[in-house]
Structure formats: C-alpha cells, structure tokens
Amino acid sequence: MRAIRLLTLALAISSSFILATGGHAEMATHSYVGMWVTADGYVRHNLLPGKRYDEARGTRESAYRGRYEVSGTRIEYWDDTGFTADGIFVDEDTLHHGGMILYRRK
C-alpha cells in the first residue's frame, strides 16, 4: 500500500511539472539560457530555462513574452500574441535575430 501511495505521489508531481513547463519534461538542453542584449542595451531577451522568454525594449519591460525552442544553433520564437521569429547563434556569445545582433550578458 505504501508503494502505491509513493507511486501516486510521484506521478502527481511529474504531471504537475510537465503541465507547468508547457508539456516539456526537460528544462533547458542547451547552453543559451540567460540574458541577451543589443550593444546599446535597447533590446533584451531573457531566455528562461523553462523554454520561455521575456523580451524588454527600451523602458518597456516584458514587451514580448512567449516560448522558444533551440535546435543546434537555431532558435525559434512564438510570442503569446501569435507572432513568430527566429535567429541563429553564431557562437556561444552572439545571437543574430530579426536584423539585430544580441550579445550574451555575463
């Protein structure tokens, strides 16, 4: 009986985690999580570990929010309003996205 209760608890916890991460049981499987900014600091992408992002523009915090997926060096964005975009990580510290160059903030 104790084993069944533990199994039930484990399933409930893992189901909640999968729902909270949008159906993805894994968090980040890439090294690009973190803050990315343009040289002038105007555009700031925060790539979160749960495959979500939060983009600020100028003084407007959270101007865009949505999900993202990384495959190799390619990133695809789907914002919460339905807009889509993509980009390429040209190296570990440089992202080309929408005609902009963003750099990893360290």
Side-chain angles (χ1 to χ4, degrees):
M1 185 57 87
R2 180 181 161 101
I4 292 173
R5 285 186 188 150
L6 289 174
L7 179 59
T8 302
L9 178 61
L11 288 172
I13 291 170
S14 64
S15 296
S16 297
F17 175 77
I18 290 170
L19 289 173
T21 58
H24 301 285
E26 62 188 52
M27 292 300 273
T29 57
H30 56 81
S31 61
Y32 303 116
V33 168
M35 184 64 73
W36 295 81
V37 299
T38 53
D40 61 3
Y42 185 78
V43 176
R44 299 169 307 282
H45 286 192
N46 191 6
L47 300 181
L48 304 168
K51 296 185 180 181
R52 298 278 302 165
Y53 74 91
D54 190 322
E55 178 179 326
R57 292 201 174 215
T59 59
R60 187 173 170 207
E61 296 297 325
S62 299
Y64 303 99
R65 290 180 176 169
R67 69 180 179 92
Y68 72 90
E69 290 185 15
V70 173
S71 178
T73 59
R74 181 175 173 79
I75 184 169
E76 294 189 56
Y77 299 90
W78 294 268
D79 84 7
D80 292 339
T81 67
F83 181 78
T84 62
D86 61 10
I88 297 289
F89 295 98
V90 296
D91 60 39
E92 285 292 314
D93 295 318
T94 312
L95 167 61
H96 288 190
H97 162 70
M100 299 177 285
I101 299 174
L102 293 96
Y103 302 95
R104 183 191 302 269
R105 181 180 284 168
K106 294 184 178 183

